[in-house]
Amino acid sequence: QVHLVESGGGLVQAGGSLRLSCAASGSTFNLIAMGWYRQAPGKQRELVATISVGRYTLYADSVKGRFTISRDNAKNTVYLQMNSLKLDDTAVYYCKGVTTSRDYWGQGAQVTVSS
C-alpha cells in the first residue's frame, strides 16, 4: 500500500506561482513513477506532468514551459512548481503513484487562480 498526501494548494492571482508537494508513505519502493493530474469543474481529469524513477519527465502541452515536476527520492516527495499561472489552471490537483500492480491517488489539492 502507498499513501499519498498533497499540500501547497491555494488561491493565487493570474501570473503568480504555487508549489504543490506530494508526500508518499508506505511501500514507496514499489513506485515506478509519480505524477500530477488535475480536474476542473465539469471536466475530466487530465494529465499535468509525470516523472519516472529515472527522472524522465512528461508534460501536458498546456503547461510546458510554465510547470516543472521534480522528485526528492530521499523524502519520497514529488513537487510541482507552477509559474505564470492562468485562470484555466484552476482545478483540483491530484497526485498519482504508479506501481506495477496498481495506481494510487492522493486526496487532491485545490488550486484557484483569480484575475
Side-chain angles (χ1 to χ4, degrees):
Q1 291 286 332
V2 176
H3 187 52
L4 303 172
V5 178
E6 300 100 334
S7 61
L11 175 65
V12 63
Q13 285 192 324
S17 298
L18 277 177
R19 189 177 82 155
L20 300 178
S21 300
C22 174
S25 60
S27 301
T28 57
F29 55 87
N30 286 326
L31 288 169
I32 58 175
M34 295 183 72
W36 291 96
Y37 288 68
R38 67 186 181 186
Q39 187 166 18
K43 295 187 177 180
Q44 290 188 329
R45 191 172 298 188
E46 63 177 6
L47 168 73
V48 176
T50 62
I51 185 166
S52 69
V53 171
R55 301 184 188 277
Y56 175 80
T57 58
L58 177 70
Y59 294 93
D61 288 343
S62 59
V63 306
K64 283 180 181 177
R66 300 188 299 120
F67 290 11
T68 302
I69 190 170
S70 61
R71 64 190 294 168
D72 184 332
N73 290 331
K75 295 182 178 179
N76 291 317
T77 299
V78 64
Y79 305 97
L80 185 69
Q81 178 66 43
M82 304 183 292
N83 298 328
S84 302
L85 282 161
K86 304 176 180 180
L87 297 179
D88 287 347
D89 295 319
T90 295
V92 177
Y93 284 70
Y94 296 92
C95 178
K96 177 181 176 180
V98 179
T99 71
T100 55
S101 59
R102 58 162 289 183
D103 299 338
Y104 295 88
W105 293 91
Q107 81 286 355
Q110 178 68 48
V111 172
T112 302
V113 183
S114 64
S115 59

